Amino acid sequence: MARRRSRARERELTTLLARGTDDHYLDPLLYDFEYGDQTADVEWYCALVDARVPDRVELGGSGTVLELGAGSGRVTIPLARGGHRIIALDRMEPMLEHLALKVRRLEQADYPIEGEIEALVADMTAIPLADDSVSLVVAPFNCLMHLYTWQELLACFCEVARVLEPGGTFACDVLMPDLEWLQWDPNERHAVTPFEHPRTGRKMIYSTNHEYDHDTQVCHIRIYYDSAKGGRLRPRTTPDHVVHLAHRQIFPEELRMLVGVAGLKLESHTGDFLNLSLNEDIEAQALIARKPVRE
Ligand SMILES: C[S@@+](CC[C@H](N)C(=O)[O-])C[C@H]1O[C@@H](n2cnc3c(N)ncnc32)[C@H](O)[C@@H]1O
């Protein structure tokens, strides 16, 4: 018979999940430095929103786009540049504050966005918006992987179905679980990369490792930031700073089941924002669904 987890292990996992939800989003400048040059997903979301929400703000349109896990606006700002009204929902205030700062800087540089952005501090499992009130919902760049139980995931999908207007679109992307990568040695350091911290200017070394919990389907990733003082280019045994990132692995059939149980209709489910079929070579699952129109 399978052994039950000890209380101590349960407590440790609870702490890891809490840190794995917050840690990575406490330093938005570093976040932007690490992910700012990703463009394939941004282009995919912008093309989808342009095609499905034609009524732009400057034309007096009322079509509103809700972005779940908007963070520091990597996708939000390009969406708003297309002239759309975006509600940027996130539970982490530092990320949304950084988004607001970036919008102010664009205005000061005389390069304002054409649409509108409204920041909303909230949890995506309890969306504080009225039924049928938005035209399109997007959940970019793995934000759904921060919902760790099936109950949290289902609550979010049901909320999406509730706030979408009939005929409205939902689009999201999550990583394709990489079964080989998940089993890597949790004690080795990978992706070792020297870099200069964007805020402090300090020379540092980035590295990661991870541990997959088969029971909960959560991968606990540790991101190490070591000082590269003295030209040292190897991670230290005792790191200067460790950031936890917990990612719930969501398998394709599970994602499609959530769509169906929430009452949405699957439209497409493909790989890497290139319409690729879902196989072991792709990195991201990109999904589009619709809320059925009432008869
Ligand atoms: C990987 S980041 C994505 C940020 C941004 N969309 C991007 O593409 O760069 C995930 C975001 O989801 C947010 N998040 C995680 N769990 C959340 C929840 N339950 N409700 C709302 N936001 C959440 C995090 O704070 C973080 O900003």
Side-chain angles (χ1 to χ4, degrees), residues 21-22 24-25 31-32 35 38 41-42 67-76 89-93 95 122-125 139-144 146-148 152 245 247:
T21 317
D22 292 2
H24 198 43
Y25 310 115
Y31 177 90
D32 280 1
Y35 303 108
Q38 288 205 173
D41 58 344
V42 179
E67 184 186 356
L68 303 179
S72 55
R74 195 180 60 86
V75 180
T76 327
L89 179 151
D90 204 286
R91 61 184 287 285
M92 291 297 285
E93 284 184 60
M95 293 292 267
D123 196 290
M124 61 178 124
T125 58
F141 200 29
N142 312 327
C143 63
L144 296 174
H146 284 295
L147 303 177
Y148 300 116
E152 284 176 322
L245 175 63
H247 264 172

Side-chain angles (χ1 to χ4, degrees), residues 228-241:
K229 240 180 12 212
R232 182 191 171 94
L233 281 183
R234 282 161 59 106
R236 288 165 192 258
T237 323
T238 317
D240 291 349
H241 184 50

Side-chain angles (χ1 to χ4, degrees), residues 161-183:
R162 181 183 66 75
V163 300
L164 265 182
E165 63 188 25
T169 300
F170 173 53
C172 65
D173 68 278
V174 294
L175 291 173
M176 173 65 113
D178 180 337
L179 302 178
E180 197 241 315
W181 177 83
L182 289 169
Q183 314 268 5

